[in-house]
């Protein structure tokens, strides 16, 4: 969703409270507060209403400290590197493109719980194409055509969950021919950024950049609505479904409180807030979605799929081959 969003169209917001314990002696009150502080390690796009966090803290007695670690791909790497000496107590934002590897490495104590879903898709800036009197692309095949040279920007597959999802979308579409497709894509001037934020907020023409095609999410067009119209649209035949998880980190200092935070992320209040805050779909059933999503963010009818077992067994080989291609 998600970043990962998942990184997302909503701007990253760090909801944090400061650990009150001071070095060299603490009062009884501050010691108690430190014992009840839970550090949630997540990606840069984590964004929930401050009032929602405050309500949880008041009700549970837990102080929530949020530590962001770049895009979801970077988050996965940091969690694996710190395995055994975790960066916090719980983590949110690992998605299905990285989950198997992270779980296998023993980063999480027990399993992970699915919090939200999203769809990584190619998005186009309709306003840019109209201004340049050019027809926008209709699918993956168009992106390698000369008409779209130097127009695509995508997060990298090794550093970003949307980037990895896009790689998987091309693998799911072209099978063993995906490497040939990527060579054509790079020859056509595709730009690779480290993460979603750089691609969407810096290089995408909607944000003032010079690239009118970006790999992002199917909900983006609902974010770009002005005066009842969206200036962008997602190519729904290019989408890969992404699921984001949360779990307690192995070796957490406060595992009991960390489990409460994970359960909170699955609570009705948080699930209801996810669409408006992070532009992702809640996993809980029956949650109302923003009215604009029906018109501007339809769910892809046939998202591109790659079996989870195949992702787990071949991800390393795929990303190694991808790195060789994009590095020239």
């Amino acid at each position: 969703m998600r970043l990962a969003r998942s990184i997302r169209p909503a701007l990253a917001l760090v909801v944090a409270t400061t650990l009150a314990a001071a070095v060299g002696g603490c009062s009884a009150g501050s010691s108690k507060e430190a014992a009840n502080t839970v550090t949630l390690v997540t990606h840069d796009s984590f964004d929930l209403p401050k009032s929602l966090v405050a309500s949880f803290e008041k009700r549970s007695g837990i102080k929530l400290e949020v530590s962001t670690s770049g895009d979801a791909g970077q988050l996965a790497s940091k969690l694996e590197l710190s395995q055994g000496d975790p960066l916090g107590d719980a983590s949110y934002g690992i998605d299905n493109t990285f989950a198997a590897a992270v779980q296998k490495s023993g980063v999480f104590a027990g399993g992970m719980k699915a919090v939200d879903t999203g769809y990584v898709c190619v998005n186009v800036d309709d306003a840019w194409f109209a201004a340049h009197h050019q027809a926008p692309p209709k699918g993956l095949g168009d992106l390698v055509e000369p008409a779209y040279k130097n127009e695509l920007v995508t997060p990298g597959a090794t550093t970003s969950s949307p980037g990895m999802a896009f790689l998987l979308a091309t693998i799911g579409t072209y099978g063993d021919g995906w490497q040939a497709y990527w060579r054509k894509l790079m020859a056509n001037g595709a730009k690779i950024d480290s993460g979603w934020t750089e691609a969407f907020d810096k290089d995408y023409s909607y944000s003032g950049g010079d690239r009118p095609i970006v790999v992002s999410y199917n909900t983006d067009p609902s974010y770009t609505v002005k005066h009842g119209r969206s200036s962008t649209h997602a190519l729904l035949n290019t989408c890969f479904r992404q699921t984001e998880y949360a779990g307690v980190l192995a070796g957490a200092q406060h595992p009991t409180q960390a489990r409460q935070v994970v359960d909170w992320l699955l609570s009705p209040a948080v699930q209801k807030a996810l669409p408006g805050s992070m532009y992702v779909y809640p996993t809980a059933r029956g949650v109302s979605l923003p009215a604009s999503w029906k018109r501007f963010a339809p769910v892809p009818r046939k998202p591109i799929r790659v079996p989870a077992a195949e992702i787990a067994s071949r991800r390393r080989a795929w990303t190694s081959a991808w790195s060789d291609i994009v590095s020239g």
Side-chain angles (χ1 to χ4, degrees):
M1 144 152 277
R2 186 7 76 164
L3 89 223
R5 72 216 313 214
S6 25
I7 310 209
R8 308 286 186 271
L11 293 176
L13 173 65
V14 178
V15 182
T17 53
T18 304
L19 187 62
V23 177
C26 304
S27 67
S30 61
S31 297
K32 183 178 180 180
E33 182 175 293
N36 287 326
T37 297
V38 170
T39 300
L40 178 67
V41 186
T42 183
H43 50 55
D44 284 348
S45 290
F46 181 83
D47 181 9
L48 287 175
K50 292 182 179 180
S51 59
L52 187 60
V53 175
S55 176
F56 167 72
E57 291 181 325
K58 182 177 181 180
R59 185 179 65 255
S60 66
I62 292 172
K63 285 290 184 179
L64 183 63
E65 183 175 85
V66 176
S67 174
T68 56
S69 297
D71 205 333
Q74 296 166 317
L75 170 64
S77 296
K78 290 178 180 179
L79 291 179
E80 289 186 272
L81 289 172
S82 62
Q83 197 274 330
D85 185 19
L87 301 174
D89 301 291
S91 181
Y92 157 78
I94 296 297
D95 78 339
N96 52 310
T97 66
F98 291 96
V102 171
Q103 187 78 340
K104 185 178 180 180
S105 67
V107 166
F108 289 95
M112 298 183 291
K113 296 183 178 181
V115 175
D116 61 73
T117 61
Y119 296 89
V120 175
C121 313
V122 174
N123 278 252
V124 299
D125 182 353
D126 294 312
W128 186 97
F129 280 102
H132 288 76
H133 307 289
Q134 182 181 358
K138 295 182 178 180
L140 292 175
D142 290 343
L143 302 182
V144 300
E145 296 296 325
Y148 304 104
K149 188 175 181 65
N150 299 325
E151 293 185 358
L152 171 70
V153 60
T154 177
T158 56
T159 55
S160 161
S161 60
M164 185 64 194
F166 180 56
L167 171 59
L168 291 172
T170 64
I171 292 171
T173 299
Y174 295 103
D176 291 338
W178 74 266
Q179 294 187 46
Y181 173 80
W182 269 91
R183 291 189 184 96
K184 292 179 182 178
L185 202 63
M186 296 307 297
N188 207 37
K191 184 177 183 182
I192 311 297
D193 283 342
S194 61
W196 176 89
T197 301
E198 184 181 0
F200 190 93
D201 289 343
K202 179 182 177 182
D203 288 323
Y204 189 28
S205 57
Y206 171 82
S207 303
D210 60 1
R211 301 267 169 164
I213 309 171
V214 66
V215 171
S216 192
Y217 291 84
N218 74 307
T219 51
D220 282 13
S222 67
Y223 174 72
T224 62
V225 172
K226 291 182 179 179
H227 308 299
R229 298 183 61 183
S230 179
S231 60
T232 69
H233 78 277
L235 305 183
L236 297 182
N237 59 354
T238 68
C239 303
F240 185 88
R241 178 169 172 154
Q242 185 183 60
T243 301
E244 291 187 311
Y245 301 92
V248 177
L249 294 171
Q253 292 186 11
H254 312 296
T256 300
Q257 293 91 334
R259 281 191 287 273
Q260 289 180 256
V261 170
V262 172
D263 290 342
W264 172 67
L265 292 172
L266 295 168
S267 69
V270 172
Q271 291 284 295
K272 183 179 179 180
L274 287 173
S277 298
M278 291 193 276
Y279 286 76
V280 291
Y281 299 86
T283 54
R285 295 181 179 181
V287 177
S288 297
L289 299 176
S292 63
W293 283 24
K294 185 176 182 180
R295 179 180 177 186
F296 299 111
V299 174
R301 293 183 178 180
K302 294 182 178 180
I304 301 167
R305 300 182 184 276
V306 177
E310 190 173 3
I311 295 174
S313 63
R314 303 185 66 182
R315 184 176 70 93
R316 190 179 297 275
W318 283 337
T319 54
S320 177
W322 176 87
S323 296
D324 289 342
I325 293 169
V326 301
S327 64

